[in-house]
DNA sequence: CTTGGGACCTGGCTGC
DNA sequence: TGCAGCCAGGTCCCAA
């Protein structure tokens, strides 16, 4: 499930291979991901465009094109971008041919991924909150934002207009590190808890980027390799297994229809 | 404005 | 062996 660390890894590993290249052919196997554009429009507008830069914003990948427009891809749950995969399969959705003979392939088992071609980047990612690892996102800003919200802290961390890029796995991991129960109301956190959570978010995301993302489900890096961040997970996707701190079984409860994993002993109400 | 619930989408897994 | 039902969750849409 690509969250910020996974998308950051894809950007980092793809950029050296595709920056400066241009699109020579597009093959659409499934038009569903194309947002608001026909197959003909999409191919016609994209072929011939040079990739000036590859960027990430939240969980979105942004290809800056030579005509000033942007190609934006959101992988959602099961999307992947593979460089020259050995073979394609029934989950192959779009194939992008590049001028050096390389091929960038978008695959997506559950067909939830979305591809935009837009004149203005902000029309797609304009509502996103701050980048959690950017210097502007300070502990004080985090604290003042939290005070305005009374939803469960887990739900607030997942709100992309609050902060961009945190998904279900890393929200659970950060709340565990900060010893905060996911159902706690955001504005009920003490100053100490708020600072601990801020630091936990930074640590969890930074460490996961270092480990090239978490291959819990279908996440693959562009070369087809798995990430290793999931080997460090303490609670995420570990329902019933012992807490690494105290040994008590990790619980799972639904919050906003998302599985939330926590230690009932270490994470206080 | 915030909050919460359902829909989308498909495959792996479990239990009967 | 078959099949129903749960689980996975990022985002949009809608109602309160």
């Amino acid at each position: 499930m690509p969250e910020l660390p996974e998308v950051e890894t894809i950007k980092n590993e793809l950029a050296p291979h595709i920056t400066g290249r241009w699109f020579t052919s597009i093959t659409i196997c499934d038009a569903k991901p194309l947002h608001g554009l026909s197959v003909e429009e999409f191919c016609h507008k994209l072929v011939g465009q040079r990739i000036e830069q590859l960027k990430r914003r939240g969980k979105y990948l942004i290809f800056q094109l030579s005509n000033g427009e942007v190609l934006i891809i959101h992988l959602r749950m099961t999307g992947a971008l593979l460089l020259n995969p050995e073979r394609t399969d029934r989950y192959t959705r779009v194939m992008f041919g590049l001028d050096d003979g390389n091929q960038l392939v978008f695959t997506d088992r559950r067909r939830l991924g979305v591809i935009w071609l837009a004149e203005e980047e902000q029309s797609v990612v304009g509502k996103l909150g701050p980048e959690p690892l950017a210097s502007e996102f300070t502990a004080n800003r985090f604290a003042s934002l939290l005070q305005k919200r009374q939803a469960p802290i887990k739900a607030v961390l997942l709100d992309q207009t609050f902060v961009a890029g945190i998904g279900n796995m890393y929200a659970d991991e950060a709340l565990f590190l900060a010893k905060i129960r996911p159902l706690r109301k955001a504005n009920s956190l003490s100053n100490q808890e708020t600072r601990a959570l801020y630091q936990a978010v930074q640590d969890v995301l930074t460490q996961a980027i270092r480990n090239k993302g978490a291959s819990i489900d279908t996440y693959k890096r562009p070369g087809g390799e798995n990430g290793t961040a999931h080997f460090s997970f303490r609670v995420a996707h570990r329902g019933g297994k012992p807490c690494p701190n105290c040994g008590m079984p990790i619980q799972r409860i639904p919050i906003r229809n998302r599985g939330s994993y926590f230690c009932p002993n270490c994470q206080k109400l």
Side-chain angles (χ1 to χ4, degrees):
Chain A
M1 296 128 201
E3 304 181 21
L4 186 154
E6 288 73 32
V7 180
E8 178 73 11
T9 300
I10 292 167
K11 183 209 74 179
N12 289 340
E13 299 190 346
L14 216 44
H17 295 101
I18 67 168
T19 306
R21 301 271 63 84
W22 60 88
F23 294 107
T24 53
S25 67
I26 312 289
T27 307
I28 312 284
C29 309
D30 177 11
K32 183 176 184 300
L34 306 185
H35 189 269
L37 279 181
S38 70
V39 169
E40 294 73 22
E41 278 179 298
F42 184 80
C43 297
H44 182 255
K45 288 185 125 180
L46 200 51
V47 168
Q49 292 306 314
R50 207 176 86 107
I51 303 166
E52 304 285 350
Q53 194 189 1
L54 184 61
K55 303 185 291 184
R56 179 194 60 74
R57 176 79 171 96
K59 302 168 193 170
Y60 295 76
L61 268 175
I62 303 172
F63 298 69
Q64 187 67 57
L65 304 176
S66 46
N67 65 352
E69 298 200 358
V70 283
L71 171 72
I72 301 183
I73 299 181
H74 196 304
L75 300 170
R76 294 281 179 94
M77 303 297 299
T78 55
L81 278 173
L82 303 173
L83 195 63
N84 301 324
E86 287 182 11
R87 55 192 175 83
T88 57
D89 56 25
R90 62 183 162 132
Y91 306 126
T92 300
R93 308 298 174 189
V94 181
M95 298 190 279
F96 303 88
L98 301 174
D99 68 291
D100 61 354
N102 281 336
Q103 196 165 47
L104 185 61
V105 174
F106 172 65
T107 75
D108 187 9
R109 198 176 71 188
R110 283 166 61 181
R111 304 177 78 209
L112 290 167
V114 185
I115 301 176
W116 295 261
L117 201 48
E119 294 181 6
E120 176 49 53
E121 166 185 334
Q122 287 304 308
S123 66
V124 178
V125 300
K127 289 177 180 169
L128 291 179
E131 285 290 322
L133 297 180
S135 55
E136 309 88 76
F137 188 66
T138 62
N140 285 342
R141 183 166 179 196
F142 183 60
S144 70
L145 285 171
L146 280 184
Q147 285 191 348
K148 298 171 188 156
R149 307 289 295 264
Q150 58 176 345
I153 182 61
K154 171 73 183 288
V156 174
L157 287 177
L158 294 181
D159 179 353
Q160 302 299 297
T161 66
F162 172 82
V163 57
I166 301 175
N168 205 41
M169 302 184 298
Y170 296 111
D172 281 352
E173 288 298 301
L175 287 167
F176 175 80
L177 280 192
K179 301 185 189 298
I180 298 167
R181 194 76 71 97
L183 272 176
R184 286 274 301 281
K185 288 181 185 298
N187 61 4
S188 78
L189 270 54
S190 70
N191 288 342
Q192 190 184 352
E193 287 174 325
T194 302
R195 298 200 80 82
L197 183 55
Y198 175 83
Q199 193 56 50
V201 165
Q202 311 282 312
D203 292 349
V204 160
L205 295 178
T206 304
Q207 186 63 39
I209 292 170
R210 203 170 293 146
N211 289 329
K212 317 284 188 198
S215 291
I216 282 284
D217 195 2
T218 59
Y219 166 72
K220 297 280 182 195
R221 291 155 55 196
E225 312 95 328
N226 286 337
T228 58
H230 53 291
F231 295 128
S232 310
F233 280 177
R234 296 161 170 95
V235 291
H237 291 269
R238 300 191 69 245
K241 297 189 173 130
C243 166
N245 272 359
C246 72
M248 188 165 286
I250 291 162
Q251 273 189 20
R252 177 193 179 274
I253 58 166
I255 300 178
R256 293 277 208 282
N257 258 346
R258 303 288 169 262
S260 290
Y261 298 90
F262 64 95
C263 171
N265 183 44
C266 296
Q267 292 170 263
K268 303 296 184 190
L269 276 169

